[in-house]
């Protein structure tokens, strides 16, 4: 009987305080729904970020000069041994060896202040010229708006072909013109446009993403008359769980190419790109 009386009392309380009861129930329902929605949204965002960073290189590693600039490496405030820069042939040999494990791209920044000409039109002297290979677009998550990527033959022979950013296509060509297969002058030499990148935009130091030009890495190396270009490599792991193993493989390959002795430290820097994530 006590149970029945308790139930009746509860029902009477609900009827007497109907508005408060409705509000309390609504608050509880909204709170639980909001919590579930937030947790679901967070899981979705985390998955999307992981996929995005994977495309941008979170599952990759970078191979650069010792100290990222060559010359003397500084550690614990002390000037260490001087290491020679990575040469073009060394990074290309590494790329070929690494094909047994995965894929890699070799690239270099030729200049960040080039003036590009096409007939009577020209750009401001702030165009970035990069030397890259056929894997660069894929590994760096760049998409073509029109045209095609470099072929292996164009990379190996260093043909005068180029892929341009969206802003350069707008600056050098009219809206009704097709830039593909047209010639432009880059660093005083004629290049044929084979592709146009999708608009990327940019923030901070990367404002010039849409006014860059990619040329074959072999072609870029020929422009390096003084041997001052800095060559970098980005390798892609076959999976997040194998990146440490494949980085170890990469270190062994580059040590062999650089002829580092057994007791000698690496004469290059190899870092995981997970710091981006």
């Amino acid at each position: 009987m006590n149970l029945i009386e308790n139930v009746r009392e509860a029902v009477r309380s609900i009827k007497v305080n109907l508005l408060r009861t409705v509000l309390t129930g609504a608050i509880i329902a909204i709170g639980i729904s909001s919590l579930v929605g937030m947790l679901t949204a967070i899981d979705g965002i985390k998955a999307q970020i992981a996929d995005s960073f994977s495309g941008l290189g979170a599952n990759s590693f970078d191979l650069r000069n010792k100290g990222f600039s060559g010359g003397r490496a500084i550690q614990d405030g002390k000037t260490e041994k001087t290491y020679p820069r990575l040469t073009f042939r060394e990074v290309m040999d590494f790329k070929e060896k690494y094909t047994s494990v995965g894929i890699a791209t070799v690239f270099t920044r030729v200049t960040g202040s080039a003036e590009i000409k096409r007939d009577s039109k020209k750009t401001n002297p702030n165009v970035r010229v990069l030397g890259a290979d056929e894997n660069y677009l894929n590994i760096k998550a760049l998409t073509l708006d029109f045209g095609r990527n470099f072929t292996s033959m164009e990379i190996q022979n260093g043909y005068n072909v180029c892929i341009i950013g969206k802003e350069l296509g707008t600056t050098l060509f009219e809206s009704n013109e097709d830039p593909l297969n047209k010639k432009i002058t880059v660093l005083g030499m004629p290049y044929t446009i084979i592709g146009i990148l999708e608009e990327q935009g940019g923030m901070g130091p990367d404002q010039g993403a849409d006014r860059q030009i990619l040329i074959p890495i072999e072609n870029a190396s020929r422009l390096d008359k003084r041997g001052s270009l800095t060559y970098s490599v980005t390798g892609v792991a076959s999976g997040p769980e194998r990146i440490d193993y494949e980085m170890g493989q990469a270190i062994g390959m580059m040590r062999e190419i650089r002829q580092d002795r057994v007791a000698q430290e690496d004469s290059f820097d190899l870092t995981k790109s997970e710091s981006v994530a």
Side-chain angles (χ1 to χ4, degrees):
M1 294 297 293
N2 291 333
L3 177 61
I4 295 174
E5 287 298 327
N6 289 336
V7 172
R8 288 175 177 172
E9 183 64 27
V11 171
R12 282 195 297 269
S13 297
I14 291 174
K15 289 180 178 179
V16 172
N17 303 287
L18 183 61
L19 178 60
R20 186 173 63 182
T21 302
V22 172
L23 291 177
T24 302
I27 290 171
I28 294 173
I30 293 172
I32 293 175
S33 300
S34 299
L35 179 61
V36 173
M38 288 169 58
L39 293 175
T40 303
I42 289 172
D43 288 340
I45 292 171
K46 287 169 67 176
Q48 184 177 6
I49 289 174
D51 291 341
S52 299
F53 277 121
S54 176
L56 292 172
N59 292 327
S60 65
F61 60 85
D62 296 314
L63 180 65
R64 299 185 176 97
N65 291 322
K66 192 74 171 180
F68 292 91
S69 60
R72 292 182 180 274
I74 298 178
Q75 186 175 5
D76 297 329
K78 298 179 182 178
T79 301
E80 304 292 333
K81 181 179 177 182
T82 299
Y83 293 96
R85 291 172 176 267
L86 297 175
T87 66
F88 174 66
R89 288 306 162 197
E90 285 174 343
V91 293
M92 294 303 290
D93 287 346
F94 172 83
K95 175 188 172 183
E96 183 176 355
K97 281 180 174 290
Y98 192 71
T99 54
S100 63
V101 179
I103 63 171
T105 179
V106 176
F107 57 97
T108 185
R109 179 172 175 143
V110 179
T111 181
S113 57
E115 182 182 72
I116 311 304
K117 298 180 181 179
R118 190 247 172 179
D119 297 334
S120 61
K121 294 185 178 181
K122 63 181 180 180
T123 67
N124 293 325
N126 59 358
V127 178
R128 182 170 57 191
V129 180
L130 303 178
D133 60 16
E134 71 279 11
N135 296 330
Y136 185 81
L137 296 184
N138 182 38
I139 292 178
K140 296 299 181 179
L142 297 176
T143 305
L144 287 171
D145 194 12
F146 301 102
R148 60 175 177 82
N149 192 10
F150 298 122
T151 66
S152 298
M153 184 68 69
E154 288 168 342
I155 296 297
Q156 292 173 6
N157 294 288
Y159 290 162
N160 283 26
V161 293
C162 66
I163 298 172
I164 66 174
K166 190 73 171 181
E167 182 179 326
L168 295 181
T170 303
T171 302
L172 298 173
F173 296 89
E174 300 295 336
S175 58
N176 59 349
E177 285 186 287
D178 182 7
L180 294 181
N181 299 316
K182 300 293 194 307
K183 290 187 180 297
I184 58 176
T185 301
V186 182
L187 301 176
M189 301 177 62
Y191 283 80
T192 301
I193 299 173
I194 62 170
I196 302 174
L197 296 171
E198 280 189 354
E199 186 173 357
Q200 302 173 63
M203 296 179 62
D206 200 30
Q207 293 286 345
D210 289 318
R211 54 174 181 269
Q212 65 179 332
I213 289 184
L214 305 181
I215 62 175
I217 186 68
E218 178 75 34
N219 188 289
S221 70
R222 296 173 188 167
L223 302 175
D224 189 17
K225 305 299 182 184
R226 297 179 297 176
S228 58
L229 289 184
T230 298
Y231 297 96
S232 301
V233 181
T234 297
V236 177
S238 55
E241 71 285 351
R242 292 182 57 83
I243 187 168
D244 291 327
Y245 170 76
E246 293 178 6
M247 283 177 63
Q249 294 283 90
I251 290 173
M253 293 174 185
M254 183 52 79
R255 285 184 64 88
E256 180 181 356
I257 293 172
R258 298 273 284 180
Q259 298 182 350
D260 292 344
R261 296 189 298 274
V262 175
Q264 179 185 349
E265 66 175 342
D266 297 337
S267 61
F268 52 89
D269 280 337
L270 192 146
T271 56
K272 191 186 299 184
S273 299
E274 66 177 1
S275 58
V276 175

